[in-house]
Amino acid sequence: MYLYILVSIILTLLFAFGCNAALRKHAGSFYILAVLIILFEVIYYQTGLRDAAPEWLTQYIVNPFKRGALPTAMFIVVMYIGALDAKKTSVSKLMGIRGELSIIACILTLGHNIVYGQKHFVNLFTNPGEMKPQAFIAAIISLVMIAIMLPLMITSFTSVRKKMRAASWKNLQRLAYPFFALIYIHVMVLFVPKFSEKYLDIIAYTLIFGIYAVLRITKAVKTAKNNSPQLDYAENA
């Protein structure tokens, strides 16, 4: 079984480390590339190009974008960057492009929603009674995720962030946590009804998000202890 998410995480890490310097200096070019990928996705499926293309192109190149596996992998890397020790060299290197990675992930996610939304969003608003329960729930979750994702994406641009108060920006960015949780819920809603086919994907996603939750909570607890008044008093005594 081809686990798109694991392959996508590997590709994301290769991209993040290999294009680290270029992404810092020429982020705009990568954003434009992400938009062009979206346009290609739409053209690929709307013009019949999909039917004429070789199966390997669809299976191994287009599907990771269309299914949302690649942008999800980017979000996962962004998640883990925030949960790991920033003092480690590899984490510190990725921390410098965390915002850029999240913006690219958001753009590519919009492409995923455009391709699938042409059917499921249209049905949701015009004929919801004919939708399968999992498709109905997944479509609603997707709309909530888009509503959360767009402010996160916009405020991840450096030019926008500089115009915001630090406290306001930080509070808004906390919406990332429910967004990450909704990614997992969205995937489970779609995969659990197909358990016999998707059990490996279910295990992979559960491990990935479960380990992240443990790491993030552990880091938060340590940070709270280090910033506690009792510790400050003890250090100054």
Side-chain angles (χ1 to χ4, degrees):
M1 186 180 294
Y2 183 64
L3 292 178
Y4 284 104
I5 191 59
L6 296 184
V7 174
S8 295
I9 289 173
I10 292 171
L11 291 175
T12 296
L13 289 172
L14 291 173
F15 168 72
F17 284 109
C19 298
N20 193 281
L23 193 50
R24 289 171 187 260
K25 295 179 181 178
H26 308 290
S29 299
F30 287 94
Y31 303 154
I32 292 172
L33 178 60
V35 172
L36 291 176
I37 289 173
I38 289 178
L39 293 175
F40 173 75
E41 283 182 68
V42 174
I43 293 171
Y44 190 77
Y45 286 98
Q46 290 299 308
T47 63
L49 184 60
R50 159 70 179 91
D51 298 327
E55 185 60 30
W56 63 265
L57 179 63
T58 301
Q59 184 77 359
Y60 299 109
I61 306 297
V62 182
N63 271 355
F65 292 97
K66 176 204 171 190
R67 292 171 180 261
L70 201 55
T72 297
M74 289 185 173
F75 283 128
I76 288 171
V77 171
V78 169
M79 284 164 41
Y80 271 82
I81 293 170
L84 296 173
D85 186 358
K87 294 180 182 179
K88 293 183 178 179
T89 304
S90 57
V91 178
S92 177
K93 186 174 183 178
L94 293 181
M95 184 68 76
I97 59 168
R98 194 182 185 200
E100 289 80 0
L101 278 178
S102 64
I103 291 171
I104 294 171
C106 289
I107 294 172
L108 294 177
T109 297
L110 290 175
H112 165 74
N113 281 285
I114 290 171
V115 172
Y116 281 98
Q118 292 178 53
K119 175 182 177 182
H120 297 298
F121 288 159
V122 171
N123 287 340
L124 179 65
F125 290 107
T126 60
N127 196 19
E130 295 299 317
M131 298 178 71
K132 293 181 179 179
Q134 63 267 32
F136 178 80
I137 295 170
I140 292 176
I141 293 173
S142 292
L143 290 176
V144 175
M145 290 172 67
I146 292 171
I148 296 173
M149 184 185 74
L150 289 177
L152 289 173
M153 179 179 72
I154 293 169
T155 54
S156 290
F157 285 96
T158 304
S159 57
V160 176
R161 179 178 179 177
K162 288 181 178 179
K163 295 178 181 179
M164 297 179 65
R165 292 173 54 190
S168 299
W169 183 85
K170 187 172 287 188
N171 287 333
L172 186 101
Q173 288 297 312
R174 288 196 177 100
L175 289 173
Y177 298 118
F179 177 77
F180 295 151
L182 285 172
I183 291 176
Y184 177 75
I185 295 171
H186 177 74
V187 171
M188 290 303 108
V189 167
L190 293 172
F191 284 3
V192 168
K194 302 177 181 178
F195 185 82
S196 60
E197 300 174 30
K198 299 292 186 179
Y199 67 94
L200 288 179
D201 296 87
I202 292 170
I203 292 171
Y205 275 96
T206 300
L207 286 174
I208 290 167
F209 280 83
I211 293 171
Y212 164 74
V214 171
L215 290 173
R216 193 64 191 85
I217 292 171
T218 301
K219 185 175 182 178
V221 170
K222 287 182 179 179
T223 300
K225 285 183 178 179
N226 291 337
N227 294 333
S228 66
Q230 293 86 351
L231 183 60
D232 291 341
Y233 175 81
E235 289 177 346
N236 294 324

